[in-house]
Amino acid sequence: MQEKRIELDQILLWIIKIGVFTLLITPLIVVSDWFYPLVTGKNFFFRIIVEVVFGAWISLMILTGRSQPRRGLLLVAFTAFVAALGIATIAGVNPYHSFWSSLQRMEGLITHIHLLMLFLVLTSLFRKSRDWTYIWIFSLSVSLI
């Protein structure tokens, strides 16, 4: 039974790492069939991948009890920022529009929640400079394309 848990841990880690690297190709996504081909495809792609990565990260935390996010000033500040956006969304003139935004911009509260989810995953699992070096190299390679 212990061997299966170790295998599942490794599978979840690979899902998270592949998902993070997949996020780096987001600028290359263009869905020409949609109304705003340069915006909507990228945002839906980003949100779906972040949700899969976050789900795998939550599962990993439940199974192993490790992979806790780093507690620090940046985490507190970013969480407070998203919480303030949440309060502004509720108290705003059009909470529905503030939460979802428009297809033209897609930068409502839901996008900031996804960014917070990604921040939690990145700060808890990518702690070594080697991990960040791989991310930077892949990101620079995608930017050359």
Side-chain angles (χ1 to χ4, degrees):
M1 188 66 166
Q2 184 70 12
E3 291 176 16
K4 286 195 176 226
R5 197 171 105 195
I6 291 172
E7 288 178 15
L8 184 57
D9 294 353
Q10 294 301 317
I11 291 170
L12 290 171
L13 276 172
W14 275 106
I15 289 171
I16 293 167
K17 289 183 179 185
I18 290 170
V20 167
F21 281 94
T22 303
L23 282 173
L24 296 174
I25 66 165
T26 302
L28 304 177
I29 303 293
V30 177
V31 183
S32 60
D33 295 340
W34 291 357
F35 195 61
Y36 294 102
L38 297 175
V39 178
T40 51
K42 287 175 180 43
N43 275 284
F44 290 132
F45 177 80
F46 173 78
R47 290 176 187 178
I48 290 168
I49 300 296
V50 167
E51 288 168 4
V52 169
V53 166
F54 190 74
W57 177 69
I58 291 290
S59 300
L60 185 66
M61 279 195 348
I62 290 170
L63 284 175
T64 64
R66 58 175 200 229
S67 302
Q68 299 288 329
R70 287 186 179 182
R71 288 175 178 82
L73 186 59
L74 191 58
L75 176 62
V76 171
F78 193 32
T79 305
F81 174 70
V82 174
L85 285 175
I87 293 168
T89 296
I90 293 168
V93 175
N94 189 346
Y96 178 84
H97 189 69
S98 296
F99 184 78
W100 292 108
S101 189
S102 65
L103 285 176
Q104 203 170 17
R105 300 195 67 150
M106 295 193 77
E107 199 174 324
L109 178 63
I110 191 74
T111 299
H112 288 88
I113 291 170
H114 281 80
L115 290 170
L116 179 61
M117 290 166 36
L118 181 62
F119 179 79
L120 290 171
V121 172
L122 289 175
T123 57
S124 65
L125 290 180
F126 294 86
R127 294 187 177 192
K128 297 177 183 167
S129 63
R130 181 189 70 205
D131 296 332
W132 287 103
T133 302
Y134 291 146
I135 288 175
W136 284 112
I137 289 171
F138 191 79
S139 176
L140 290 173
S141 301
V142 170
S143 70
L144 289 173
I145 294 173

